[in-house]
Amino acid sequence: MSRPAARRLPGLRFEMQAPPVADALPRMDVAAFVGFAASGPLHVPVAVEDVADFEAVFGAAPLLAWDAERGEPVHAQLESAVRAFFRNGGRRCWVVRVAGPGAKTNTFPVPGLLRRTEGGGVTAALARARSEGSWSDGATVAASIQREPVELLDWSSVDGAGAELTVTAPGGVSVGDLLRVSFEGTGCSLLVPVESVEPVAQETALTWSGPVSRRVTARVRSSQALWQQTDVAPVDDTPFVSWLRGEGDEVSLDVTKVTDPGPDARPRVLTLTLDLEAKDAPPAGAVLRIVDSATGENWLLVESVELGQAEGGAVLVSGGVSRLLTSSPVEVASAHAWCERLTLGLWTRRGEEQPAQLERLGFCPAHPRHWAALPTDVERARHEDQETLPSRLPEERLPQDWRQGVPTERFPLAGPGAGGEAFSIPLGLTDPPTAYVGCTPPAGDSLERDGLAAFGADLFLDPDVKSLGVESLLAQADFLRYQSSQPRSLRGIHAVMDRLDATLVAVPDAVHRPWVLAGRPDVKPALPAQPLPEPAWGTFLDCALRPPPAPEPFVAEPEEPSSGQAFTLDWGTVPGTDVVYVLEEATLRDFSDAAELYRGPLSARTLYGRTAGTRYYRVRAERGGVTGPWAEGLDVTVAPQARWHLVPVSQYDVGPLLAVQRALMRMGCARGDLLAVLSLPEHYREADAMGHAATLQSPLGAEEDGVPPLGFAEETALSYGALYHPWTFVSEEGRPGVPRRLAPDGTACGVLARRALERGAWVAPANEQWNGVVALNPAMSAERWLDLQEAQVNVVRQEPRAFLTLSADTLATDPDLRPIHVRRLLSLLRRAALRLGSTYVFEPNDASFRRRVQRGFEELLGRLFVRGAFAGKTREGAFQVVTGDALNTPAQAEQGRFFVDLKVAPSQPLTFLNVRLVQSGDRGTVTEAR
């Protein structure tokens, strides 16, 4: 039957899309960014056409480490670089998320759902996050069930041989549907995954409005039918109970008591007393497996959890129990039966925010929207690739409404895959859902699970091609992708090689300083307080002057909060009335700088906004003006937001950055049309920047992380890299507050893309405003601008009208290839020649063919000449197309080869203009001098 489309609110909806770009010349404005993101597919390019696209897939910038020298967190640069690209005129880019092999995926138990294998085994259902990383730690999952009545005409079931139903439904039933036949008053139902459908009859019923309703009667067969019985209980007093918290993480629970209200109770809710700590208790919505010696496997859906209510602080878990049977229960023989078609709803949310949901998911692998087939980010990226999409059959493509109900971001869950599954079994599900369950993260720190615990060049490079030279890089890359015994996609920056529309590439996260895991600082405890002064012994003392005791215990929750996290100080109450508590805070352990934080009757105080560092707290009680002793001092160490700390600037190793930038220029040269936009670490001053450029240009440098320097035969590769410095302070749209410090490569790519779109890639991308930039860090000294320009570092400058660059140089040692616009023009000609040349394949190689080729390329170059791409006043002085006999000899023609030489004179920009002030008598004149 046909499936209903994703439901939406009535009315009009407008979707803004970038205007199409004229295809007269190949596009030169598409960029590629490689870096760190919270979510998204690893090492797979994803097309992004606005910031919302990026956020839907890759999320917010992840926290990487803590900068102890600045006292602030350090986030990944990729998100801000993409924002800067679109802010400065970019329209389309490819984004590649990179991480190390240690990246792990969270798994989520699906509340109230079981999976039955083709072999008959049953286990709790697990979903997984759509991509690796700790980004989904805060997400929770719930499930619901939607029921559609189906008219049941007849049914039969044979033990061990499945079931056969005759049903009538609007539109009929389809293979992959799950039907449930319920029997009144028995607590039993028959689950029938539809494997075959044989139409019996159909009728059309006229309606007063809407489409004509078509009712189809069909005979349905299934060999995997299963009986489900609810309101049951195990026989053993202490059965074996286990809980599948995550993939490969099944824990046994110690049951000390089973409380059963008896078979006459409806509903029959069992209570298990578990001997475990409250933090290890299964939450509401979890599915527990109960193995009983007499009845076998039973399944309990946890409905409520009471922590510490039983003797000894044990945990009480309550819920209904179900049992799965392969044979017909006796009770159903004479009971009234009815039938329903079931579909699944999955819900996710973070905290108390509005949940997102996917509805009308199937329970069976044959269903076109089987929940276990929800795609991962890698699968979605492969299916959405415009280059491979036309080659796949329609049934192999993803349904159009997988994103149903998720307007701002992708649905965070993916299915575990349907391999070996017969169908999924609903267990006590309702509509709407009643409980949300979170994941149990794999072992390891969040940065370890993100695959970013160790910073190095290998995060960005493919290990099998990183050390290769320009000549062999493409051949080895093609071998790995297409010809090896186990073909695979390339990783890191090399994943961009087959995105042929990209002509700019940047790696904004390569400039980070490495980070290391910092241990907890060694904190000295607070010094003991001075005792109260001795009373005047030997005289009668008023009993009311007796000092109150010290409030104990005095604790903090949590004991080690992170920077910005609230924590609560809690102390014991003192007996009596009119007691006032005094709380003080100090930064010194002897409380010599103590300040009073609170005075009042409460016995707890929550503190907010504390930055990283150690603080000391003490509390005392006062009653009737009499002061009691201080409780034992408490030290609270507020940890930085990240346990990982950046290495100091003095220990910075530039090796990984050199390796990545060398590999970028090699890849750009091997492609022939890819310009690498390079940046430097934030702390680099003028001498550091010039030294870095010289190191990249030197063929005698040391090998870094397995990447050798560009050799003498690879000097051309230097023209495929352009170096920008310093960093910029950027005010990002929709993000009020302190401007973000950002490496310049994202903004530079946006300016290059805007110049290519508006005027052409052959125009120098200098003297163009950098949008969003409000300051520089560090600002380069004006006295060193010329030195930096001679070193081929493009300096971002603050001019009266805007922040911009007044140079546009590559790192090429050949003066003719030094300007960026020359390299970009040659790349454009290469792309245009490849596109035009492919139209002449298999043409007869004769004189008319040569004239046709010459006219085609002359027309191409003529259009560029008219638009100002070439120097010269005439076409003959600007370019030449050579196809003569001297170039194409008879021997070459016999081999099926044909050569075309394109000779061009790139236009040169006006880089400076002398303005001469001439004093003549009492008047002054201004003239231009070149």
Side-chain angles (χ1 to χ4, degrees):
M1 63 175 286
S2 59
R3 298 284 167 191
R7 301 194 63 183
R8 303 183 185 277
L9 291 175
L12 298 176
R13 186 182 64 170
F14 296 91
E15 293 185 358
M16 300 299 295
Q17 293 185 349
V21 179
D23 198 30
L25 292 172
R27 292 188 67 170
M28 295 292 292
D29 65 301
V30 180
F33 294 95
V34 182
F36 306 145
S39 59
L42 287 175
H43 305 289
V44 178
V46 177
V48 171
E49 295 192 345
D50 55 37
V51 175
D53 275 355
F54 178 91
E55 293 178 341
V57 179
F58 298 98
L63 175 64
L64 298 178
W66 181 263
D67 189 346
E69 296 179 352
R70 291 182 177 270
E72 63 183 18
V74 177
H75 293 81
Q77 290 277 319
L78 178 63
E79 181 203 17
S80 292
V82 173
R83 284 178 171 271
F85 172 75
F86 288 113
R87 186 187 309 116
N88 284 273
R91 293 185 182 177
R92 177 183 172 87
C93 66
W94 292 92
V95 178
V96 181
R97 177 194 176 199
V98 296
K104 299 177 182 178
T105 304
N106 285 339
T107 55
F108 294 82
V110 182
L113 195 65
L114 304 176
R115 299 184 76 193
R116 189 190 190 202
T117 65
E118 294 176 348
V122 179
T123 183
L126 295 176
R128 52 181 170 165
R130 58 179 171 83
S131 60
E132 297 86 347
S134 60
W135 63 274
S136 60
D137 286 355
T140 55
V141 179
S144 62
I145 193 169
Q146 295 88 39
R147 296 171 291 184
E148 178 186 351
V150 174
E151 183 179 352
L152 179 64
L153 303 180
D154 190 19
W155 72 275
S156 63
S157 173
V158 179
D159 295 346
E164 181 177 308
L165 309 180
T166 302
V167 296
T168 300
V173 295
S174 301
V175 173
D177 287 343
L178 179 65
L179 303 181
R180 181 171 66 185
V181 181
S182 301
F183 298 88
E184 185 176 3
T186 65
C188 298
S189 58
L190 176 64
L191 298 174
V192 182
V194 178
E195 297 177 359
S196 66
V197 178
E198 179 185 346
V200 176
Q202 75 176 41
E203 60 182 16
T204 301
L206 297 179
T207 60
W208 290 101
S209 62
V212 174
S213 176
R214 183 171 59 91
R215 292 171 53 83
V216 178
T217 300
R219 186 172 293 109
V220 173
R221 296 183 177 87
S222 173
S223 62
Q224 295 284 349
L226 191 65
W227 288 91
Q228 181 178 7
Q229 187 175 11
T230 59
D231 294 330
V232 297
V235 175
D236 293 344
D237 293 335
T238 56
F240 174 79
V241 179
S242 63
W243 171 34
L244 185 62
R245 299 190 301 180
E247 188 173 3
D249 184 20
E250 185 172 8
V251 296
S252 59
L253 305 176
D254 187 7
V255 179
T256 59
K257 182 181 179 182
V258 177
T259 304
D260 180 9
D264 296 332
R266 288 293 184 272
R268 188 178 183 181
V269 178
L270 267 66
T271 300
L272 306 182
T273 303
L274 305 179
D275 184 14
L276 76 171
E277 297 184 13
K279 63 182 181 65
D280 298 325
V287 178
L288 306 183
R289 184 170 68 100
I290 303 176
V291 180
D292 182 50
S293 59
T295 60
E297 279 188 343
N298 300 269
W299 299 91
L300 182 144
L301 176 61
V302 178
E303 298 175 2
S304 64
V305 180
E306 297 181 12
L307 305 178
Q309 299 299 316
E311 297 180 2
V315 176
L316 301 181
V317 173
S318 301
V321 177
S322 299
R323 187 176 301 145
L324 302 177
L325 309 172
T326 56
S327 59
S328 304
V330 178
E331 304 95 298
V332 304
S334 59
H336 171 68
W338 70 91
C339 185
E340 300 167 308
R341 175 164 40 203
L342 307 180
T343 54
L344 178 70
L346 287 180
W347 304 65
T348 65
R349 70 179 180 189
R350 296 175 183 270
E352 298 301 323
E353 68 181 20
Q354 186 72 17
Q357 78 276 3
L358 283 177
E359 297 178 345
R360 297 186 177 277
L361 302 177
F363 289 91
C364 305
H367 194 281
R369 285 171 53 82
H370 185 212
W371 78 271
L374 280 170
T376 63
D377 277 341
V378 171
E379 293 167 344
R380 285 196 62 154
R382 178 175 60 86
H383 281 272
E384 292 173 354
D385 189 341
Q386 295 182 3
E387 295 181 0
T388 61
L389 184 64
S391 65
R392 296 196 309 277
L393 298 175
E395 57 269 20
E396 295 176 339
R397 303 176 188 172
L398 294 180
Q400 294 298 315
D401 55 348
W402 276 127
R403 192 173 170 176
Q404 172 191 347
V406 192
T408 59
E409 65 179 27
R410 284 186 175 178
F411 196 71
L413 293 186
E421 180 187 359
F423 68 101
S424 297
I425 302 168
L427 194 69
L429 293 179
T430 59
D431 190 13
T434 57
Y436 284 82
V437 177
C439 69
T440 301
D445 182 87
S446 60
L447 207 62
E448 294 173 338
R449 293 186 285 116
D450 291 339
L452 300 177
F455 178 84
D458 287 340
L459 290 173
F460 306 97
L461 306 177
D462 190 296
D464 292 332
V465 298
K466 67 178 184 180
S467 61
L468 301 180
V470 172
E471 295 295 330
S472 57
L473 179 59
L474 276 183
Q476 180 65 13
D478 289 342
F479 173 78
L480 292 173
R481 287 181 292 179
Y482 308 119
Q483 299 174 335
S484 65
S485 58
Q486 295 182 340
R488 66 173 180 86
S489 300
L490 299 181
R491 297 168 53 87
I493 64 171
H494 298 99
V496 180
M497 290 186 67
D498 58 354
R499 294 302 178 260
L500 301 181
D501 58 340
T503 58
L504 302 167
V505 61
V507 187
D509 284 313
V511 296
H512 287 294
R513 303 203 307 268
W515 43 80
V516 294
L517 186 62
R520 190 180 187 277
D522 187 13
V523 178
K524 296 182 179 180
L527 294 176
Q530 295 293 330
L532 293 175
E534 293 285 338
W537 301 112
T539 61
F540 288 99
L541 300 176
D542 190 345
C543 294
L545 298 179
R546 175 179 296 176
E552 292 180 350
F554 184 32
V555 296
E557 177 62 34
E559 295 181 356
E560 297 183 9
S562 59
S563 179
Q565 180 184 8
F567 60 94
T568 300
L569 299 176
D570 196 349
W571 54 87
T573 58
V574 171
T577 59
D578 299 329
V579 177
V580 175
Y581 300 98
V582 179
L583 175 67
E584 290 187 347
E585 178 186 58
T587 59
L588 301 177
R589 58 194 295 253
D590 61 358
F591 291 94
S592 58
D593 63 341
E596 185 175 302
L597 288 183
Y598 172 72
R599 177 183 292 269
L602 302 180
S603 61
R605 190 70 174 173
T606 301
L607 305 182
Y608 302 90
R610 295 304 191 267
T611 57
T614 300
R615 294 168 180 80
Y616 298 91
Y617 298 92
R618 62 183 182 181
V619 65
R620 70 183 180 192
E622 295 181 1
R623 183 173 54 206
V626 180
T627 300
W630 294 105
E632 183 178 356
L634 176 68
D635 59 90
V636 177
T637 299
V638 178
Q641 292 181 4
R643 297 175 57 205
W644 302 78
H645 288 194
L646 290 183
V647 300
V649 171
S650 59
Q651 300 178 16
Y652 175 68
D653 178 15
V654 73
L657 180 60
L658 287 173
V660 172
Q661 293 181 345
R662 288 169 179 172
L664 278 172
M665 289 188 286
R666 277 197 178 94
M667 181 178 68
C669 185
R671 269 271 305 261
D673 56 2
L674 198 58
L675 178 69
V677 180
L678 313 177
S679 59
L680 297 172
E682 184 181 12
H683 64 272
Y684 268 31
R685 303 295 301 183
E686 293 86 345
D688 301 319
M690 292 186 290
H692 187 90
T695 303
L696 286 175
Q697 293 169 325
S698 173
L700 303 177
E703 181 179 288
E704 301 288 354
D705 288 348
V707 181
L710 298 173
F712 291 101
E714 297 177 306
E715 285 188 353
T716 304
L718 293 170
S719 67
Y720 290 89
L723 190 61
Y724 287 82
H725 199 58
W727 281 35
T728 59
F729 280 92
V730 175
S731 180
E732 296 188 339
E733 60 281 357
R735 297 187 175 185
V738 179
R740 177 85 182 271
R741 292 200 311 279
L742 178 63
D745 42 11
T747 307
C749 286
V751 172
L752 283 161
R754 183 175 73 216
R755 179 54 62 91
L757 284 168
E758 294 177 352
R759 300 185 59 188
W762 53 86
V763 180
N767 199 28
E768 280 286 310
Q769 177 178 346
W770 284 33
N771 297 328
V773 178
V774 296
L776 302 175
N777 186 54
M780 299 287 100
S781 172
E783 291 76 13
R784 304 299 302 275
W785 284 352
L786 181 59
D787 297 334
L788 289 164
Q789 179 176 306
E790 292 300 322
Q792 296 167 257
V793 178
N794 300 306
V795 179
V796 186
R797 300 163 49 170
Q798 182 177 3
E799 295 295 324
R801 67 182 182 89
F803 291 87
L804 44 79
T805 62
L806 290 179
S807 63
D809 293 331
T810 67
L811 293 172
T813 55
D814 184 349
D816 292 333
L817 294 177
R818 178 169 173 171
I820 288 179
H821 73 277
V822 173
R823 168 48 56 204
R824 297 269 286 162
L825 172 62
L826 296 179
S827 297
L828 172 62
L829 290 176
R830 180 185 183 278
R831 295 167 67 85
L834 286 173
R835 188 171 70 176
L836 179 60
S838 63
T839 63
Y840 299 122
V841 177
F842 295 113
E843 294 288 334
N845 192 352
D846 53 18
S848 63
F849 169 71
R850 296 184 183 183
R851 289 192 297 271
R852 188 163 65 254
V853 171
Q854 182 159 359
R855 285 196 301 270
F857 279 99
E858 285 178 348
E859 181 183 359
L860 169 66
L861 298 181
R863 292 201 303 268
L864 291 174
F865 172 70
V866 171
R867 297 180 62 178
F870 305 134
K873 297 182 179 180
T874 63
R875 297 163 63 97
E876 291 75 13
F879 64 85
Q880 292 181 10
V881 179
V882 180
T883 61
D885 294 337
L887 188 62
N888 293 285
T889 63
Q892 292 170 345
E894 290 180 0
Q895 298 176 4
R897 305 174 68 184
F898 181 77
F899 291 92
V900 179
D901 273 359
L902 305 181
K903 300 181 179 181
V904 298
S907 60
Q908 294 297 325
L910 178 63
T911 56
F912 63 91
L913 179 68
N914 287 337
V915 180
R916 180 174 299 167
L917 178 63
V918 180
Q919 181 73 26
S920 176
D922 58 349
R923 299 180 61 186
T925 60
V926 177
T927 61
E928 296 180 3
R930 298 180 183 273

